[in-house]
């Protein structure tokens, strides 16, 4: 009996020792001072998303100087929609900062003289009250300086913490700082910087023009936009992240919030590794990872097959109705053993795949009072492809017995007002179009704004040999105000 408990004790102690040692063995998870800075001070190379500064590759801690300038700038949040962003470095998210565990970071925060607001910075990588916020309050045209030691490795969010804090964060004041372990991260082929944020505007999603911040919506956490890297188009089309088959990709993914937790997912990929919450340990074979507001994760995956991989917040209305959609394009040879190779992008992408510049151009001309029929048609064609063509087909011919035609359709062309109502309020019950019977359901499309509906109908009325009329946003507005939406439709 005695002997058994003794040997148990030995086993227990051995296990304990192994457990305690493990962090050192996996490298760098231990928090550490790592000694005084050595050599000359280094000025950190900062990058705009989606670029990441190169790996540190340094054997000893150093003094690293970080210089960041706050700017308040008007930039597009979506095509034809502008927003006044408050930024760390001129863009959203703020510039990526990369240091090594044990480095002494001398931080210089400047606030551009044109700024209207004071700002500061709270870096989650800082050990100390306010994460730097108390030492970095900076009025327009001023500079603050403070120093901290990067004790813990990991991927950390930084953000502004000036009152009203929520508003500063909601306007885009966040970014990422990576504190590498002393031995660095495993080498990969490509690293990218992606950061999600939610935005609150007075106008509806994609309502054109300069959109002010909406405090009430922000308090209610009712986001108008949820986007990666500061705008809807930041990682779409020509801005897709480039990659090649056979490469290992590492994404540093942050979530600035201010409110929403991200269910980060890449359609068509499995994360081989996720350093969840930006910490030391990794989980393997993950489909979707949670990224808290004010948190981050490092995800890694190997690209086995070519194609477009879609980055989304899998709270999926955010992806398709608020903008939380990006792309990574992998080029290279098919691997038919892994995937049959048929591209299915269009299933997901709809209007995101189309160039929406025509829509923005039409909105600009409308504001200037110079909207031409041609501009309406060009914008309408784009919107039609993204919104109506799934059912009525690109050529407007519909599907016999299921979706009525719009090309040369007597029902459509007989009554302009009725056509507007069909789009706003939907249509159910038996109808006859070109002598064919239909008895199905068209859902209301009232989430489209007045000029979008006007442009779509102007396109539909004049495409495919149709001889219908131009529709104006005012006409749509009148019918929106004068009719009732069915229950559940957007207002
Ligand atoms: Cu601020």
């Amino acid at each position: 009996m005695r002997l058994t408990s003794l040997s148990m004790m030995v086993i227990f102690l051995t296990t304990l020792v192994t457990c305690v040692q493990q962090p050192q063995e996996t490298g760098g998870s231990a928090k550490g001072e790592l000694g005084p800075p050595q050599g000359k001070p280094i000025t950190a190379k900062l990058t705009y998303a989606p670029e990441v500064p190169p790996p540190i590759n340094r054997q000893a801690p150093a003094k690293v100087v970080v210089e960041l300038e706050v700017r308040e700038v008007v930039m597009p949040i979506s095509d034809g929609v502008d927003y006044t962003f408050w930024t760390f470095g001129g863009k959203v998210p703020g510039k990526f900062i990369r240091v090594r565990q044990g480095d002494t970071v001398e931080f210089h925060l400047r606030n551009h003289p044109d700024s209207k607001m004071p700002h500061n910075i709270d870096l989650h990588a800082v050990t100390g009250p306010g994460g730097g916020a108390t030492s970095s309050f900076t009025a327009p045209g001023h500079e603050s300086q403070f120093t901290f030691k990067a004790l813990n490795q990991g991927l950390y969010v930084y953000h502004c913490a000036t009152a009203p804090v929520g508003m500063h964060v909601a306007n885009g004041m966040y970014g990422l700082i990576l504190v590498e372990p002393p031995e660095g991260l495993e080498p990969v082929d490509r690293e990218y910087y992606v950061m999600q944020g939610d935005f609150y505007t007075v106008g509806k999603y994609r309502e054109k023009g300069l959109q002010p911040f909406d405090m009430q919506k922000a308090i209610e956490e009712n986001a108008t936009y949820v986007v990666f890297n500061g705008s809807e188009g930041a990682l779409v089309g020509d801005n897709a992240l480039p990659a090649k088959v056979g490469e290992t990709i590492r994404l540093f993914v942050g979530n600035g919030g201010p409110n929403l937790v991200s269910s980060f997912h890449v359609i068509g990929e499995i994360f081989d590794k996720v350093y969840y919450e930006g910490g030391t340990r990794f989980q393997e074979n993950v489909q979707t990872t949670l990224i808290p507001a004010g948190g981050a994760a490092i995800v890694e995956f190997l690209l086995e097959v070519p194609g477009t991989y879609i980055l989304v917040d899998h709270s999926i209305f955010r992806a398709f109705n608020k903008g939380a959609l990006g792309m990574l394009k992998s080029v290279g040879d098919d691997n038919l053993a892994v995937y049959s190779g048929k591209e299915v992008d269009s299933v997901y992408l709809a209007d995101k795949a189309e160039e929406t510049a025509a829509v923005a151009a039409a909105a600009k001309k409308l504001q200037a009072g110079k909207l031409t029929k041609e501009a309406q048609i060009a914008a309408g064609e784009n919107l039609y492809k993204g919104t109506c063509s799934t059912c009525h087909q690109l050529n407007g011919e519909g599907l016999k017995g299921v979706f009525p035609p719009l090309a040369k359709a007597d029902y459509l062309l007989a009554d302009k007002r009725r056509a507007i109502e069909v789009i706003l309020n939907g249509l159910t019950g038996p109808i006859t179009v070109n002598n064919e019977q239909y008895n199905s359901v068209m859902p209301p499309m009232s989430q489209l704004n007045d000029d979008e509906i006007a442009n779509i109908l102007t396109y539909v009325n004049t495409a495919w040999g149709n001889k219908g009329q131009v529709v104006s946003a005012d006409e749509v507005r009148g019918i929106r105000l004068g009719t009732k939406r069915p229950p559940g439709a957007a207002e």
Side-chain angles (χ1 to χ4, degrees):
M1 194 64 197
R2 250 215 155 146
L3 206 80
T4 329
S5 54
L6 194 73
S7 53
M8 289 273 284
M9 187 82 167
V10 169
I11 291 168
F12 174 73
L13 276 176
T14 329
T15 332
L16 194 73
V17 167
T18 333
C19 284
V20 168
Q21 269 176 353
Q22 214 167 18
Q24 269 105 17
E25 280 166 12
T26 57
S29 74
K31 160 166 171 160
E33 251 256 39
L34 306 178
Q38 296 177 31
K40 283 202 180 131
I42 298 163
T43 301
K45 181 183 180 311
L46 312 184
T47 57
Y48 287 120
E51 302 306 326
V52 178
I56 302 284
N57 280 326
R58 196 171 359 97
Q59 304 311 315
K63 178 172 165 182
V64 178
V65 179
V66 173
E67 291 169 352
L68 202 51
E69 183 181 50
V70 173
R71 281 172 170 267
E72 300 168 0
V73 281
V74 175
M75 291 184 290
I77 188 164
S78 179
D79 251 323
V81 189
D82 286 332
Y83 188 79
T84 306
F85 293 92
W86 299 351
T87 72
F88 285 108
K91 292 188 183 178
V92 176
K95 287 180 170 178
F96 197 104
I97 307 167
R98 189 168 192 158
V99 299
R100 181 182 183 273
Q101 188 186 353
D103 281 350
T104 298
V105 181
E106 184 184 291
F107 209 100
H108 296 253
L109 187 71
R110 293 195 188 97
N111 190 358
H112 193 275
D114 291 347
S115 294
K116 307 263 187 303
M117 298 284 156
H119 301 284
N120 66 6
I121 193 165
D122 167 352
L123 299 115
H124 293 178
V126 168
T127 306
T134 43
S135 331
S136 59
F137 183 85
T138 313
H142 286 73
E143 174 177 335
S144 306
Q145 184 187 328
F146 64 100
T147 301
F148 69 94
K149 189 147 197 170
L151 296 181
N152 298 63
Q153 70 164 84
L155 182 62
Y156 297 94
V157 166
Y158 66 78
H159 62 90
C160 182
T162 304
V165 177
M167 183 175 178
H168 284 251
V169 176
N171 284 340
M173 297 201 77
Y174 42 76
L176 289 180
I177 173 168
L178 173 69
V179 182
E180 277 191 10
E183 74 284 4
L185 299 175
E186 290 267 303
V188 290
D189 297 300
R190 289 175 197 262
E191 294 182 328
Y192 288 120
Y193 171 21
V194 176
M195 196 157 185
Q196 182 171 320
D198 30 298
F199 291 87
Y200 304 81
T201 63
V202 170
K204 285 168 73 161
Y205 172 63
R206 287 189 176 175
E207 198 168 310
K208 307 297 182 220
L210 179 63
Q211 288 295 333
F213 169 68
D214 188 319
M215 187 65 165
Q216 191 55 40
K217 280 189 188 167
I219 292 170
E220 287 163 9
E221 306 191 8
N222 173 23
T224 324
Y225 292 87
V226 181
V227 296
F228 297 121
N229 290 357
S231 75
E232 239 199 314
L235 293 175
V236 171
D238 290 344
N239 298 327
L241 302 172
K244 293 197 185 104
V245 172
E247 288 181 334
T248 304
I249 310 298
R250 174 180 290 140
L251 302 179
F252 296 103
V253 193
N255 185 5
N259 289 319
L260 303 179
V261 168
S262 175
S263 301
F264 186 71
H265 176 79
V266 176
I267 299 174
E269 262 301 338
I270 295 152
F271 303 139
D272 299 321
K273 280 186 191 172
V274 175
Y275 291 84
Y276 45 95
E277 294 164 9
T280 315
R281 308 279 157 147
F282 60 81
Q283 168 69 292
E284 290 168 292
N285 305 315
V286 175
Q287 56 192 309
T288 301
T289 192
L290 273 173
I291 309 181
I298 304 173
V299 305
E300 297 176 4
F301 49 92
L302 171 71
L303 288 171
E304 285 91 351
V305 277
T308 303
Y309 296 86
I310 305 164
L311 284 55
V312 293
D313 180 337
H314 215 298
S315 289
I316 210 74
F317 272 98
R318 297 179 191 165
F320 294 105
N321 300 78
K322 298 189 172 192
L325 188 145
M327 294 176 192
L328 182 142
K329 280 196 179 140
S330 147
V331 296
D333 295 331
D334 284 332
N335 183 343
L336 299 185
V338 176
Y339 187 70
S340 66
K342 184 170 178 270
E343 277 276 10
V344 290
D345 293 357
S346 58
V347 174
Y348 278 116
L349 295 180
D351 63 330
K352 303 297 191 296
E354 300 299 333
E355 192 47 70
T356 53
V359 180
K364 265 213 182 103
K365 287 186 175 158
L366 178 69
Q367 275 178 337
K370 290 186 289 198
L371 182 63
T372 59
K373 183 175 166 186
E374 287 65 37
Q376 273 198 286
I377 290 173
E381 181 173 6
N382 263 302
L383 292 161
Y384 177 86
K385 282 186 192 164
T387 329
C388 322
S389 72
T390 37
C391 297
H392 293 287
Q393 305 301 300
L394 277 177
N395 59 12
E397 280 168 19
L399 269 183
K400 216 173 154 62
V402 188
F403 302 122
L406 299 177
K408 305 204 177 71
D410 53 6
Y411 189 96
L412 164 78
L413 297 167
D415 188 340
K416 173 155 108 170
R417 193 193 150 85
R418 180 175 66 186
I420 299 172
E421 278 187 47
V422 167
I423 300 181
L424 273 172
N425 303 328
L427 187 65
T428 54
I431 54 165
T432 307
V433 184
N434 297 349
N435 302 319
E436 279 291 334
Q437 287 282 329
Y438 294 87
N439 189 358
S440 187
V441 179
M442 162 143 165
M445 302 266 158
S446 46
Q447 78 279 5
L448 297 164
N449 62 37
D450 296 335
D451 49 304
E452 287 172 330
I453 292 178
N455 294 345
I456 291 177
L457 270 180
T458 301
Y459 167 69
V460 164
N461 280 347
T462 53
W464 317 300
N466 284 352
K467 302 249 172 337
Q469 298 167 331
V470 168
V471 176
S472 75
D474 282 336
E475 287 174 282
V476 179
R477 191 170 307 120
I479 293 173
R480 197 190 287 269
L481 293 173
T483 60
K484 253 186 90 139
R485 241 55 62 230
E491 102 269 3

